[in-house]
Amino acid sequence: MSNKIVGIDLGTTFSAIAVLDSIGNPEILPDLKNNRITASAVYFSSSNETKVGSEALSAIKAEPNRVVTEIKRHMRDEVVYSLGKGEWIDKKFSEKLEDEFTPAQLSSIILKKLKDFGEKIDKAVITVPAMFANDARQATIDAAKMAELSGYESDTIELINEPTAAIFHYANLPGVSISGKVMVVDLGGGTFDVTIAEVNGKKVDVIHSEGNPNLGGKDFDRLILKFMSEEYKNQLGAELSIDDVEYLLQAEELKKILSTRESHAIVIDGPNGPSKKIEITRNQFDDLSSSLIEAMKLKMDSCVKKAKLQKNDISQILLVGGSTRMPCVISAIKEVMDKEPTKGVNVDEAVASGAALYAGTIADKSDLNEAQKDAMSKIDLSDVANHYFGTIAQTFDQERQTYFQYNSIIIEKGSKLPVAKTNQYSLIGDQDGFPATVTQSDGPTENKEFVHIIAQEQVEIKNGKKDDEVQITFSYDKSQIMHCTFEHIASGKKHEIQIKSKTSEEVDAAQKEMKNFTID
């Protein structure tokens, strides 16, 4: 088995690492206790040791403030986790403290732990949700740098969308027939994605993706915890904290049990002591979850329509993520798509396995043996952009006789990757500079109020004249990272934007902070 070809599923609830075996099949690397998935939890002991996985979760009762979970949900946020306060705090409005860590730093600890399952692992492909925004993707790359991981085609780590990786895995399973237009329903701990792709043999061509980066298994857990809190309050007059990790773990366990049983009862040790038995039925859970299920159904229906397909065009439905085991999710899929999803594949391992396969296709051929080369030569993958990207421009309103700003789309959602697009603009007057803005949106809107500005800088020029041409080039690579160039043609002045990516110095400083902790 070669540890040179590695794929990592960095998940909200659980993470996994896979490598290619000697004949080019993905194999999950277990930890020392033979666990094939690792809880995405980090515990900082008072003696500067860190624990990852189940050992971290076991410290919740004793030191809940020093255990961090659901890190992935904060990858796009300007926040830090404070051990002293035991919560995420806004980085923009807080002074730097010794006991605070960014989501990228915390993720780097999980990545380092996963690296230890193999030998001399220094390269990997890492998976991200299809609907992850650009800043969250950059934070994932930063985490990889801090974990001393690099990419196969450059020093920058390569990313692959989770549902795309899963399709890749399904399409390459021996003895499994996947063909035609397939849908992947991916419900992980923190995110929901639905992707449609054309599969022909071992060729995967992604057509369209939809999703919600804020809908996942943890949201179902919180609904159960809210029910538990209400029942506890009825018995003992006190509420349970909805964000208490220990209670959330109990709720998660209840969710799993209700996937195989019609009801279950537990005793809760809350602020006013232990409760009597609190029972919840599967029907009650389904009622509690109805709004989340409806949101998923809308995304599935939207994905089919935006792919310009009919439901009967979809040959198979594939499942990814532990939360797809819930009966209410299976029922929702059948209701929307009029067919049963394909079962029999480990939904917790498919993403990491697909990432390892993708790593094999982009790795240097000198890192592969002949059997691996043969297996990789039969694989082909094409992905698409999952957002619209543009810039803020101005145009003249003839009716109102005034200029107004609008969002000018440069790269369309659904564009095949990699993609590069150049648009021409012109200066509206004599000026010594102009704003360079990069926008991201889920829909094709021109309204600048409905877009997310992911970069905004000023380009300084000399003696700019009215109607001077400005060329703006956006290039979007296979890892779905944006590179932007703003060029004033008359002067030849080029301005490049690195979007939300930390400088080497910043990554080195963040990495140095983490070296004060030893990972157990």
Side-chain angles (χ1 to χ4, degrees), residues 8-12 14-15 72 107 110-111 126-127 140 162:
I8 295 176
D9 175 12
L10 183 61
T12 304
F14 292 100
S15 296
K72 184 175 177 178
S107 295
I110 298 172
L111 292 173
I126 298 179
T127 66
T140 304
E162 290 163 5

Side-chain angles (χ1 to χ4, degrees), residues 50-97:
T50 62
K51 296 184 183 294
V52 175
S54 58
E55 289 183 311
L57 295 179
S58 66
I60 285 173
K61 197 169 187 68
E63 294 187 283
N65 284 10
R66 303 186 73 85
V67 180
V68 196
T69 61
E70 299 187 42
I71 299 161
K72 184 175 177 178
R73 281 200 150 180
H74 298 280
M75 291 299 274
R76 69 168 290 174
D77 302 330
E78 291 289 321
V79 296
V80 290
Y81 186 86
S82 168
L83 297 181
K85 296 184 178 181
E87 62 183 14
W88 294 95
I89 57 178
D90 195 318
K91 187 177 178 181
K92 292 179 288 188
F93 301 106
S94 64
E95 295 182 3
K96 173 66 178 173
L97 302 173

Side-chain angles (χ1 to χ4, degrees), residues 27-46:
E27 177 64 37
I28 297 292
L29 288 180
D31 64 13
L32 292 176
K33 296 181 180 178
N34 212 35
N35 297 311
R36 294 170 66 83
I37 57 175
T38 299
S40 301
V42 178
Y43 164 59
F44 292 90
S45 75
S46 53

Side-chain angles (χ1 to χ4, degrees), residues 27 88 92 209 231 250 330 347 373 378 384 389 401 435:
E27 177 64 37
W88 294 95
K92 292 179 288 188
S209 288
E231 292 296 306
Q250 286 181 280
I330 302 297
V347 295
K373 288 177 185 176
K378 299 171 184 176
V384 298
F389 294 91
Q401 289 294 296

Side-chain angles (χ1 to χ4, degrees), residues 227 258 261-264 280-290 327-328:
F227 175 87
L258 290 173
R261 298 183 189 176
E262 293 296 327
S263 66
H264 191 67
I280 182 171
T281 67
R282 184 186 292 174
N283 286 338
Q284 286 174 312
F285 174 54
D286 289 350
D287 288 340
L288 292 171
S289 307
S290 61
C328 57

